[in-house]
Amino acid sequence: MSEQMNGHPGGHPSSMRPGHPTGHPGSVGKHPGEQPIGPAVDGTPPLRLIAWEVTRSCNLACKHCRAEAHPEPYEGELSTAEAKALIDTFPDAGSPIIIFTGGEPFMRHDIFELIPYAKSKGLRCVMAPNGTLLTAENAAKIKKLGIERCSISIDAPDAAGHDEFRGVKGAFASSMKGIEHLKAVGLEFQINTTVTKDNLHQFKDIFHLAERLGASAWHIFLLVPTGRAAELGAQVINAAEYEEVLNWFYDFRKTTNMQLKATCAPHYHRILRQRAKAEGVPVNFETFGLDAVSRGCLGGVGFCFISHSGIVQPCGYLDLPCGDVRKTPFPEIWRSSPEFLNLRNPKMYEGKCGVCEYEKVCGGCRARAATMRGGYLREEPLCSYTPARLAKKGQEG
């Protein structure tokens, strides 16, 4: 790793060890996500995580926002009745953890009604607020209603860098206050950090801030150039830097007991296995936690995103409509969407992703393939690895 790196997840609280509630707050405790459930009789993989954009409205103007969110209400938002009817269908797709996200979920008028309704269906609930609207009162309320973890995005170790990225002065201070409110009621939280060229040199400082704050986890999110982030082309790290960051992350995780996770970084799962093999370390749940039993890109495989208007997508960064819950029952979309079926079939992947021996554990970022290569099944544009089959073919040629 370069000297620069010595000085995160999107979205969401997505992978929790025992006692925790994802990039993505995502798997809580001994959830089935830790001991994978087999596919249904028809071969449909179990749905483990749903990132539900309960509202697109937001009080911040983040530079990387996939939704290009604004504070005003959006037309077409699911009504309370429609939202509850949707919740009713979730158990039929598996036993998913529900990530209440946005926008800013606290800007949804009935959020305190939807959380307990989801809990009443036996669903585990986590939340991804930006932290600025957290108060002593609503922190206590979501804790009581059953939220098990919150994810708060912090993209710099200080107010200047964070506020500049988030587009609102005072955002850092407000998020710090929000975290204190979570701590006061004993509600676990994780810190998410979006990786850009500007904050690479601050990673250790951001981690140490998360550590001082008492975060249960630190998730790094590799930038996907969609929404406002499409204007951040100069901030997207290249394939070589990507590889360097993920190797640094592999080494850095050995120095702390805090749970670390790389999100929107599917080839970390390749790097983990390459490095572990070289070190003679077995890859299992005991040694690497959820990273050992999960897949890099889970979009359409174990995870999906539902928009404020009920459009189902593989993830929030991949603008690929796979169904509309107002027209088709959600479990039917999960089982039968042609796009989801494509994502579950490695033979459909193009370029080197289609022949890579790490496809089952990586899968490449389908959102980056779509935005940077022009198709969601094309090869991951920020991967520098040459699959063994291609390498052998090159040698023979």
Side-chain angles (χ1 to χ4, degrees), residues 23-336:
H24 161 344
S27 4
V28 191
K30 283 293 182 184
H31 184 264
E34 296 176 356
Q35 300 297 332
I37 299 173
V41 174
D42 63 1
T44 302
L47 179 57
R48 299 177 187 172
L49 292 169
I50 298 174
W52 183 14
E53 180 190 63
V54 290
T55 183
R56 185 161 285 190
S57 300
C58 187
N59 61 316
L60 297 183
C62 304
K63 286 188 173 181
H64 68 307
C65 181
R66 56 159 186 83
E68 302 183 74
H70 54 66
E72 296 76 27
Y74 283 77
E75 289 186 13
E77 193 171 279
L78 296 178
S79 67
T80 301
E82 288 175 318
K84 287 184 174 180
L86 176 59
I87 291 171
D88 287 338
T89 70
F90 287 161
D92 292 334
S95 183
I97 292 171
I98 310 304
I99 306 167
F100 288 90
T101 186
E104 167 51 55
F106 280 117
M107 294 186 75
R108 170 92 191 193
H109 70 284
D110 57 0
I111 189 66
F112 299 120
E113 192 175 342
L114 298 182
I115 295 168
Y117 192 78
K119 291 292 289 186
S120 75
K121 303 299 175 180
L123 298 167
R124 310 191 87 167
C125 300
V126 294
M127 183 181 271
N130 60 44
T132 64
L133 299 184
L134 275 166
T135 64
E137 292 73 25
N138 61 28
K141 196 164 187 177
I142 60 173
K143 166 77 172 178
K144 183 178 180 180
L145 293 176
I147 292 294
E148 298 184 45
R149 181 189 276 189
C150 285
S151 65
I152 307 294
S153 292
I154 301 295
D155 299 300
D158 52 43
H162 179 81
D163 290 359
E164 199 273 336
F165 193 69
R166 293 282 154 180
V168 173
K169 190 172 183 179
F172 183 83
S174 295
S175 291
M176 291 299 108
K177 287 180 182 177
I179 287 171
E180 291 305 314
H181 292 313
L182 293 176
K183 290 166 66 175
V185 298
L187 183 49
E188 287 195 350
F189 66 95
Q190 69 184 53
I191 298 298
N192 292 350
T193 300
T194 297
V195 181
T196 67
K197 287 183 183 289
D198 276 354
N199 66 6
L200 278 176
H201 67 288
Q202 298 177 309
F203 261 38
K204 274 199 171 181
D205 293 333
I206 297 171
F207 167 77
H208 289 309
L209 172 62
E211 198 172 41
R212 289 195 304 273
L213 289 170
S216 295
W218 182 45
H219 289 204
I220 64 169
F221 283 72
L222 276 294
L223 190 67
V224 178
T226 186
R228 286 196 192 110
E231 302 171 12
L232 295 179
Q235 287 300 317
V236 179
I237 61 176
N238 61 37
E241 291 169 321
Y242 202 140
E243 196 84 359
E244 192 177 16
V245 169
L246 295 181
N247 273 284
W248 172 83
F249 194 71
Y250 176 88
D251 289 324
F252 188 66
R253 56 174 289 282
K254 301 174 186 176
T255 69
T256 176
N257 289 323
M258 186 188 294
Q259 185 223 1
L260 305 183
K261 181 172 175 58
T263 301
C264 297
H267 31 297
Y268 177 69
H269 290 255
R270 165 187 48 89
I271 289 170
L272 182 156
R273 285 159 177 81
Q274 290 175 310
R275 296 288 305 276
K277 182 179 180 180
E279 295 169 1
V281 178
V283 177
N284 53 42
F285 185 78
E286 286 64 38
T287 54
F288 290 100
L290 288 177
D291 284 338
V293 297
S294 185
R295 184 175 186 264
C297 182
L298 286 171
V301 180
F303 168 84
C304 73
F305 171 89
I306 304 176
S307 80
H308 66 293
S309 59
I311 302 301
V312 181
Q313 302 173 194
C315 79
Y317 298 109
L318 178 50
D319 187 11
L320 180 71
C322 300
D324 183 341
V325 301
R326 283 177 162 140
K327 298 176 181 177
T328 308
F330 172 72
E332 184 178 330
I333 295 171
W334 178 251
R335 286 192 299 269
S336 308

Side-chain angles (χ1 to χ4, degrees), residues 338-353:
E339 294 80 10
F340 285 169
L341 294 178
N342 283 342
L343 289 167
R344 296 165 192 167
N345 182 3
K347 294 179 180 178
M348 298 302 294
Y349 289 13
E350 301 173 14
K352 64 183 182 180
C353 285

